[in-house]
Amino acid sequence: MKKRICHKRKNLFGRKGKGNQVNQNKINKINKINKKAFKTKKDSYNISKYILINFKNSDFNFKVPKKLIPNKPRLSKNRTRLMVLNRMNMTIQHKYMNDFNSYFITGDTLVLNNTKMYKYILYGKKEKNGSDLQVYLLREINPNEKSWEVLVQPARKIRIGNRLFFLDENNEKLIAVVHDNTISKGRIIKFTCDLPNQIFKNKIKNLGKIQSGLIKYGLYTSFKKPFIDFSNLQTIYAKKEGSTSPHFPGLHISKYILKKLEFYGINISYVTLHLGHDTYDKIIVEDIQKHKMKEEYFKITHKACNFINYSINSQKKVCAIGTSTLRALESSVSPSNTLIPNKKWTNKFIYPYYKFHIANSLLTNFHQPKSTVMPLLAAFVGYDFLKYAYDLAIKKKYQFYNFGDAMLIL
């Protein structure tokens, strides 16, 4: 049985975390055992076989210099820097994205999230007094009733029964009625429109705009001129509309990289997970196990399962592009630890000491402190190795957050 011991520890950048104090001799003994386990175990899940620590949100708090946070995408994808973490021998290499292909061989599978952003912001008015408002379309609830879950600004003035209207290109009104409230301070609205569903959705596309949900939630508000328009931030393989946020890790993948991977016999597989407006929210509770993820829709096809399961059975690499892709894969695991076709909503939250079943490698960005991605990375890499990698990234001046550089974990 694993012995659970809580002791003082340091977070990613050296600040002491909370814990019960024990005498120094016991701490030295613990560190000696843990150091031996860290060196001998190959799997990041098993690195902490002897000691399990209940990580807190403050353990994932750190500061990134503002000069390392770009506020717009870079022009050349191939010149994006790539930090390569090898969990087998605990080494780190410093490369560029045009070296990405060299880490994969015939039979490996690259898993991409083919979600696509739709134009989800509508600018309209309240019918009663003509006051301006913004409606953020979050997800379609019932296509037949044309009902949507939305966020409205200013929300305090929008109540059940209020009628909202939006003007199309012909100055014709599109009416929506506020039907209900949601537990996440949103609204349920129903459009009063007799058009067929596909024509109605095309009308919404013509009315809607794409803007950054990140600006709304304050990630880049410290910049004088934040990059707002996200209409050109679609991945080159985006196909299935449904996201309200860009899939940033996928922006590292260029046509050149995909063609080179296919040329060398690497399988390219696609899954879909629609990113919500709160994808980039921070964890606000200290006990990370109490955090609740918002539900996001995902779909995995039979074709994707065939490619991925082939690589799993052949003991080849299965590389997830982005943590959203990784969460989709881990939300559809069979009892025999293979991937099964599925389409449903998931609120899967991954933190130490989760054991991964499908992907054994991951391409991601350098993320913000206290985000939901940091515990996932700690589970995938190991907390100590992740701490060292982020320390080194700041020292080597890697660029952080959504427009920054990439990290490949093998």
Side-chain angles (χ1 to χ4, degrees):
M1 182 177 179
K2 297 177 182 178
K3 189 174 182 181
R4 190 178 295 271
I5 301 175
C6 186
H7 60 88
K8 281 194 173 183
R9 60 187 182 276
K10 293 184 178 181
N11 68 9
L12 285 174
F13 286 85
R15 193 163 58 84
K16 288 185 178 180
K18 295 180 181 180
N20 299 324
Q21 189 172 6
V22 295
N23 61 61
Q24 190 61 41
N25 291 335
K26 186 175 285 187
I27 291 176
N28 292 338
K29 185 177 180 180
I30 289 169
N31 290 338
K32 186 177 180 180
I33 295 172
N34 204 28
K35 186 176 180 181
K36 181 180 179 181
F38 187 79
K39 286 183 176 179
T40 56
K41 297 297 176 183
K42 306 295 185 183
D43 192 321
S44 64
Y45 173 78
N46 289 326
I47 285 172
S48 298
K49 178 179 178 180
Y50 297 95
I51 300 170
L52 299 182
I53 299 172
N54 289 328
F55 287 99
K56 304 295 183 182
N57 195 21
S58 55
D59 293 319
F60 301 98
N61 189 25
F62 55 92
K63 289 184 179 180
V64 180
K66 186 177 177 180
K67 62 182 179 181
L68 299 182
I69 308 174
N71 68 330
K72 59 183 179 180
R74 68 182 74 237
L75 296 177
S76 175
K77 294 181 181 179
N78 290 336
R79 296 307 297 171
T80 299
R81 296 176 69 189
L82 178 67
M83 178 183 280
V84 183
L85 279 61
N86 191 318
R87 295 176 294 166
M88 186 70 69
N89 51 24
M90 298 296 170
T91 59
I92 292 178
Q93 294 178 303
H94 305 285
K95 301 288 185 177
Y96 289 92
M97 272 306 297
N98 53 8
D99 301 313
F100 177 78
N101 311 73
S102 62
Y103 291 95
F104 300 94
I105 60 174
T106 302
D108 292 342
T109 298
L110 201 69
V111 189
L112 307 173
N113 184 3
N114 63 2
T115 186
K116 184 177 182 180
M117 282 188 298
Y118 58 81
K119 296 180 178 180
Y120 69 101
I121 300 180
L122 303 180
Y123 295 90
K125 294 181 181 294
K126 189 176 177 180
E127 193 174 57
K128 186 176 181 180
N129 55 16
S131 58
D132 294 330
L133 53 87
Q134 295 180 28
V135 175
Y136 294 73
L137 301 173
L138 301 184
R139 60 170 175 166
E140 187 178 25
I141 296 175
N142 190 326
N144 296 325
E145 296 180 353
K146 298 180 176 61
S147 59
W148 289 71
E149 180 183 349
V150 302
L151 290 177
V152 183
Q153 288 190 339
R156 66 184 183 277
K157 297 182 179 179
I158 306 300
R159 296 178 174 85
I160 295 175
N162 287 162
R163 289 167 62 88
L164 318 176
F165 72 89
F166 313 90
L167 293 177
D168 62 16
E169 63 276 8
N170 299 321
N171 284 331
E172 295 180 359
K173 285 186 178 181
L174 181 63
I175 304 294
V177 180
V178 180
H179 182 70
D180 202 355
N181 298 323
T182 67
I183 58 175
S184 57
K185 299 181 180 180
R187 303 287 189 272
I188 304 297
I189 67 172
K190 291 184 178 180
F191 290 92
T192 58
C193 178
D194 296 329
L195 294 173
N197 196 45
Q198 190 56 49
I199 297 176
F200 167 74
K201 286 188 176 181
N202 291 335
K203 198 177 190 70
I204 291 292
K205 289 179 186 179
N206 294 332
L207 286 171
K209 307 288 183 184
I210 295 180
Q211 271 193 327
S212 168
L214 302 181
I215 301 300
K216 179 177 178 294
Y217 288 94
L219 186 56
Y220 292 104
T221 51
S222 60
F223 293 102
K224 293 181 179 179
K225 294 182 179 180
F227 181 82
I228 296 178
D229 185 8
F230 274 26
S231 58
N232 64 337
L233 284 186
Q234 304 278 19
T235 60
I236 60 172
Y237 46 83
K239 187 176 181 181
K240 306 293 184 180
E241 284 191 335
S243 281
T244 58
S245 296
H247 186 234
F248 288 104
L251 298 175
H252 297 306
I253 304 298
S254 64
K255 290 182 179 178
Y256 170 79
I257 289 176
L258 280 181
K259 287 181 179 180
K260 198 170 181 180
L261 286 167
E262 291 175 343
F263 179 79
Y264 285 107
I266 288 86
N267 301 317
I268 307 298
S269 185
Y270 296 97
V271 300
T272 303
L273 185 137
H274 294 317
L275 303 170
H277 71 285
D278 48 11
T279 295
Y280 304 99
D281 279 0
K282 290 186 176 182
I283 300 173
I284 59 175
V285 293
E286 181 63 7
D287 185 355
I288 61 173
Q289 296 185 35
K290 294 181 179 179
H291 175 74
K292 301 296 182 184
M293 294 283 287
K294 302 293 177 59
E295 287 191 335
E296 295 172 316
Y297 177 81
F298 78 92
K299 181 178 180 180
I300 299 175
T301 63
H302 285 276
K303 183 178 180 180
C305 291
N306 291 337
F307 280 129
I308 294 168
N309 289 332
Y310 169 79
S311 294
I312 292 174
N313 295 331
S314 304
Q315 297 185 341
K316 301 287 187 177
K317 290 190 184 74
V318 176
C319 182
I321 304 301
T323 55
S324 64
T325 308
L326 184 62
R327 287 192 298 110
L329 295 176
E330 292 299 316
S331 298
S332 190
V333 181
S334 72
S336 59
N337 292 334
T338 55
L339 190 65
I340 55 177
N342 216 336
K343 55 178 180 179
K344 63 178 184 178
W345 294 81
T346 180
N347 62 348
K348 193 172 190 66
F349 176 48
I350 298 175
Y351 54 86
Y353 300 85
Y354 180 85
K355 186 173 182 179
F356 293 88
H357 304 88
I358 306 299
N360 50 30
S361 53
L362 171 68
L363 180 74
T364 186
N365 288 12
F366 292 93
H367 298 276
Q368 63 172 323
K370 293 188 175 182
S371 67
T372 56
V373 182
M374 296 305 297
L376 182 150
L377 292 178
F380 198 80
V381 179
Y383 181 84
D384 292 332
F385 197 21
L386 181 67
K387 167 192 168 182
Y388 175 72
Y390 268 62
D391 278 335
L392 189 61
I394 290 180
K395 183 179 178 181
K396 297 287 187 181
K397 293 183 170 38
Y398 276 80
Q399 304 222 311
F400 276 67
Y401 299 176
N402 300 310
F403 301 126
D405 294 312
M407 174 188 286
L408 175 61
I409 304 167
L410 301 174

